[in-house]
Amino acid sequence: DGSGDIVVAPGTGSGNKWDLIDGSMDTFWESFSHINNQKIELSFPSAVDVTRVDLFWKDHNSAADFTLAISSDRMAWETIWTGAGLDDAANRTDSKLLASPVTAKYFRFQFTKRQTFSTLYSLWSVQLWAPTATWTATLPSLSTISSVAVDWSRDHATSYTIDGSVDGKVWVPLASQKGREGIVDTKFSPTTVRSVRLTMSPRTDPDYIYDGNGNAWPTPRTPRVSMFTVSLLGCVAPPLPSARLSSAFVLRRVDTPVVTDVTPARGSTEGGTTVTITGRSFSSASTVSLGGFPCVVGSASATEIVCTTSRSGVKFG
């Protein structure tokens, strides 16, 4: 996943501009009213590869005309998608599957024409899809394996690579393979590993909607892969189950942690003081230091961390 930011998204809504990329269909963004020319601009810390873009419009508040342009420096822009004369269907979804992945740091949506009976633009979500996703399994101990068999569902990968690692840091290529529905068993030279990683490309061919009369209409396929089990020949563990990987392809925003309060404000230099830190965008992997000395985390949620100070020689606060 990428760590995205929204540079420009003027307007109001049920929350704020982050509702555009929170991956939820319960929150939404609304533009200012009665203005045709409005834009949304997404940025990433470094260039990302994107193979598909989805716009999920709310109610009838979609754009009749819009463009999507990309840039590496926010100065020179290249238009990669143009929508014109689009209808005002309720909760319309616009999808663009690119002929080949594009690489950019900035993505700018320019809305130029509202629907006839709408006063604003409103979106449930904007999604940018990466061309690959990874699945990793860690074994109970080092094992020598000589094949990886994947039981793919209908949403199989178009192609995938298999890598192995003894420490989860340095990866060695083991094999590459094409995906298909059913079991695909890939053999290679016996290799000792602790972890196995699949890097997968999703299917991009159209899916189809069927009616009761045998008619079929092509529709954009959701970039996702799904497999029932992964079996490793020679592995000490049983077959490894896997679920559908859909959101793995979505480049989402990762919030920067923000601290709003630290209680108590002072503590002993001997350590042992329990400190409660409140704020937002924390995680279970959060680490804390106070005055340059570690504070051992006892519990952590998205909004609160409780830690215990270590002996420091100086007071914090």
Side-chain angles (χ1 to χ4, degrees):
D1 293 352
S3 177
D5 195 3
I6 299 183
V7 180
V8 179
T12 59
S14 64
N16 55 44
K17 62 185 182 180
W18 304 121
D19 293 334
L20 280 167
I21 55 173
D22 63 0
S24 172
M25 293 299 180
D26 296 321
T27 58
F28 61 92
W29 165 86
E30 286 182 349
S31 71
F32 291 121
S33 298
H34 303 288
I35 301 175
N36 270 322
N37 289 297
Q38 301 197 52
K39 66 182 177 181
I40 294 171
E41 187 178 308
L42 310 180
S43 76
F44 290 86
S46 58
V48 295
D49 295 328
V50 172
T51 191
R52 173 173 163 168
V53 183
D54 292 333
L55 294 172
F56 297 92
W57 298 98
K58 182 179 182 293
D59 300 332
H60 297 277
N61 302 321
S62 57
D65 298 342
F66 69 87
T67 59
L68 169 60
I70 61 174
S71 176
S72 59
D73 57 9
R74 214 181 175 197
M75 297 177 64
W77 294 87
E78 175 190 358
T79 300
I80 61 170
W81 185 14
T82 299
L86 302 174
D87 63 42
D88 65 346
N91 296 310
R92 194 183 78 207
T93 299
D94 294 326
S95 297
K96 178 65 174 180
L97 180 62
L98 303 171
S100 58
V102 297
T103 302
K105 184 176 179 180
Y106 300 96
F107 297 77
R108 184 176 66 194
F109 297 88
Q110 187 78 49
F111 309 133
T112 55
K113 184 179 180 181
R114 290 175 286 114
Q115 298 294 347
T116 303
F117 299 103
S118 179
T119 61
L120 47 74
Y121 303 109
S122 182
L123 283 159
W124 291 110
S125 182
V126 174
Q127 292 185 349
L128 305 180
W129 295 87
T132 61
T134 58
W135 177 91
T136 304
T138 300
L139 308 177
S141 60
L142 287 173
S143 300
T144 300
I145 62 173
S146 57
S147 80
V148 173
V150 183
D151 187 2
W152 294 102
S153 75
R154 184 168 174 267
D155 293 318
H156 58 79
T158 301
S159 60
Y160 58 101
T161 59
I162 304 170
D163 302 312
S165 175
V166 296
D167 58 6
K169 298 178 181 179
V170 178
W171 294 88
V172 177
L174 301 178
S176 60
Q177 186 61 277
K178 292 183 178 180
R180 60 171 173 78
E181 186 174 0
I183 298 176
V184 179
D185 191 359
T186 305
K187 294 179 170 56
F188 43 84
S189 300
T191 306
T192 300
V193 300
R194 178 71 191 278
S195 300
V196 175
R197 179 179 69 190
L198 305 185
T199 302
M200 303 161 288
S201 299
R203 293 177 65 180
T204 57
D205 54 309
D207 204 349
Y208 290 89
I209 298 176
Y210 297 90
D211 64 13
N213 300 318
N215 299 312
W217 292 271
T219 183
R221 183 183 296 277
T222 300
R224 66 188 177 203
V225 291
S226 178
M227 44 196 175
F228 297 114
T229 58
V230 178
S231 301
L232 311 179
L233 183 61
C235 174
V236 298
L240 306 168
S242 176
R244 173 178 293 175
L245 296 177
S246 178
S247 60
F249 292 96
V250 179
L251 295 167
R252 299 197 189 281
R253 169 179 177 263
V254 178
D255 288 331
T256 300
V258 175
V259 175
T260 58
D261 186 57
V262 178
T263 304
R266 297 180 181 277
S268 170
T269 58
E270 297 300 316
T273 302
T274 298
V275 180
T276 300
I277 303 169
T278 56
R280 63 179 184 274
S281 304
F282 301 150
S283 74
S284 58
S286 295
T287 59
V288 178
S289 64
L290 298 173
F293 295 90
C295 190
V296 180
V297 175
S299 63
S301 68
T303 57
E304 183 182 270
I305 296 175
V306 177
C307 64
T308 303
T309 60
S310 57
R311 181 182 175 85
S312 62
V314 296
K315 295 182 178 179
F316 72 87

